Amino acid sequence: MIAASSTTGQLTPMISGSRWQRVLADAVSSPAELIEILGLDPAQVPGALQATSGFSLRVPRGFVARMRHGDPRDPLLLQVLPREQELLSVDGFITDPVGDLASRAGAGLLHKYEGRALLVATGACAIHCRYCFRRHFPYDEESALASGWRGAIETLRQDPSIHELILSGGDPLSLSDRRLTQLTDALRDVPHIRRLRIHTRYPVVLPERIDDGLLKWLSDLPLQKVVVIHANHANELNGEVNAACRVLAGVGATLLNQTVLLADINDSVEALTALSETLFSQGVLPYYLHLLDRVRGAAHFEVSEAEALRLHAQLLTRLPGYLVPRLVREIPGAASKTPVTLAAGGC
Ligand code: SF4
């Protein structure tokens, strides 16, 4: 298996078990190796070899295979390759941009929105996204797993207003099937939880994770299931991703996608249109298009609100409404994700 040791995805290979765990253990973790695989010169990607401190590189080889050889501007590469801009200190970009720690309801449990609670199930991820808003999250201190889920389950039990549990992280599917089963078995004692929502990049970045064991766990759950995959570009969505999404739908999961609007990666109407079209062809509905959370080290990914509104308006003219994701941002302390509209944006 793979164990998380500290911050997002500080993964320590232990004993290999399932195939997906072996694929994960074999992920690329060296910027130099990634650059070499893609036939790039280090001079084409300034900072790639230096900017990893505190947040290492990690990318599964199957995801690397979807990148264009020899292209330092590849939209998948730009999501994972450290860049020199990460080292800059930029006003307004902070370590906890969405107010996670102010929302904690117990170790690893966040309660921001009515009726829903979010469990930071693990700090481990299959991929390290350089724009991640939890790249500085103190996973060591905020682990619900450390108490065998007992603290989080007890907090949930005492609040009958919560009907939906959101599994987040890190990436909750980094947990073994045994750990996931332990959690959902404990949830059977909390009858007011009706829905389980799983936020995960695994179906996209490491579709091997969607194996028979995981599907059995999902299909046995006496809960409604929502799986929110996090794809940012149509090039991420190949045949293996399609197959993973199809089998997830086959065990009763509703599939939605969340995208972060990212400079130089998907900030064009062509890229966003292709993403929505491809998602739908794979049985996934585009759900949210997020403005970047202003986390320290990620300022170079930001797209302005005015540009986001312009892109969103163009999407509305190109796509049927059900393929246009809602443009939102997260404001600490707000009662929900905040829609970004012309009125709200003041443009
Ligand atoms: S965006 Fe998601 S998958 Fe990527 S590093 Fe952050 S928590 Fe992990």
Side-chain angles (χ1 to χ4, degrees), residues 8-9 55 122-135 139 168-172 199-202 205 230 232 260:
T8 298
F55 190 43
T122 170
C125 296
I127 190 166
H128 293 181
C129 315
R130 309 310 298 179
Y131 55 84
C132 179
F133 71 94
R134 290 212 179 105
R135 56 181 289 173
Y139 287 107
S168 181
D171 193 315
H199 280 255
T200 175
R201 289 208 81 188
Y202 270 91
V205 305
H230 288 226
N232 297 312
V260 183

Side-chain angles (χ1 to χ4, degrees), residues 31-291:
E33 184 186 2
L34 180 58
I35 290 167
E36 187 185 340
I37 292 171
L38 294 173
L40 296 169
D41 186 307
Q44 293 177 282
V45 284
L49 303 179
Q50 292 85 36
T52 54
S53 63
F55 190 43
S56 60
L57 179 141
R58 174 165 288 271
V59 52
R61 289 176 194 274
F63 196 78
V64 175
R66 296 171 230 166
M67 298 175 185
R68 290 188 292 260
H69 197 262
D71 182 359
R73 311 299 300 165
D74 178 85
L76 277 55
L77 175 65
L78 291 179
Q79 293 180 46
V80 299
L81 190 70
R83 285 191 269 173
E84 58 187 352
Q85 296 98 314
E86 287 188 31
L87 302 174
L88 301 174
S89 175
V90 179
D91 278 352
F93 285 78
I94 57 177
T95 54
D96 181 14
V98 299
D100 272 346
L101 295 178
S103 310
R104 69 190 293 284
L109 196 68
L110 309 180
H111 193 187
K112 289 186 181 180
Y113 305 140
E114 194 171 332
R116 290 148 280 171
L118 184 149
L119 188 71
V120 179
T122 170
C125 296
I127 190 166
H128 293 181
C129 315
R130 309 310 298 179
Y131 55 84
C132 179
F133 71 94
R134 290 212 179 105
R135 56 181 289 173
H136 305 290
F137 191 83
Y139 287 107
D140 279 350
E141 298 140 47
E142 293 297 326
S143 169
L145 180 59
S147 68
W149 311 116
R150 282 187 298 280
I153 295 292
E154 193 49 39
T155 305
L156 291 170
R157 197 198 319 271
Q158 288 173 10
D159 189 344
S161 74
I162 298 174
H163 302 302
E164 177 170 319
L165 181 63
I166 302 169
L167 297 189
S168 181
D171 193 315
L173 296 192
S174 297
L175 295 171
S176 66
D177 298 343
R178 184 178 64 83
R179 289 288 195 200
L180 292 169
T181 303
Q182 189 183 54
L183 170 63
T184 50
D185 280 355
L187 272 182
R188 288 174 197 260
D189 290 337
V190 191
H192 49 270
I193 300 289
R194 300 194 291 261
R195 283 189 303 276
L196 188 71
R197 185 185 345 157
I198 302 168
H199 280 255
T200 175
R201 289 208 81 188
Y202 270 91
V204 175
V205 305
L206 203 142
E208 294 88 344
R209 176 68 185 97
I210 315 305
D211 61 7
D212 290 348
L214 187 85
L215 292 168
K216 177 164 185 348
W217 169 68
L218 277 171
S219 62
D220 286 350
L221 287 181
L223 300 165
Q224 290 184 294
K225 300 163 282 257
V226 180
V227 176
V228 185
I229 68 170
H230 288 226
N232 297 312
H233 195 281
N235 291 4
E236 296 171 35
L237 304 172
N238 65 4
E240 283 77 32
V241 178
N242 184 26
C245 290
R246 296 292 173 191
V247 292
L248 284 169
V251 295
T254 297
L255 292 171
L256 304 173
N257 183 63
Q258 251 180 231
T259 299
V260 183
L261 186 59
L262 297 165
D264 300 327
I265 291 170
N266 58 14
D267 57 338
S268 72
V269 70
E270 290 78 18
L272 293 171
T273 301
L275 176 59
S276 279
E277 293 277 14
T278 311
L279 284 166
F280 193 63
S281 75
Q282 300 195 353
V284 184
L285 270 178
Y287 172 45
Y288 277 147
L289 177 61
H290 264 271
L291 295 190

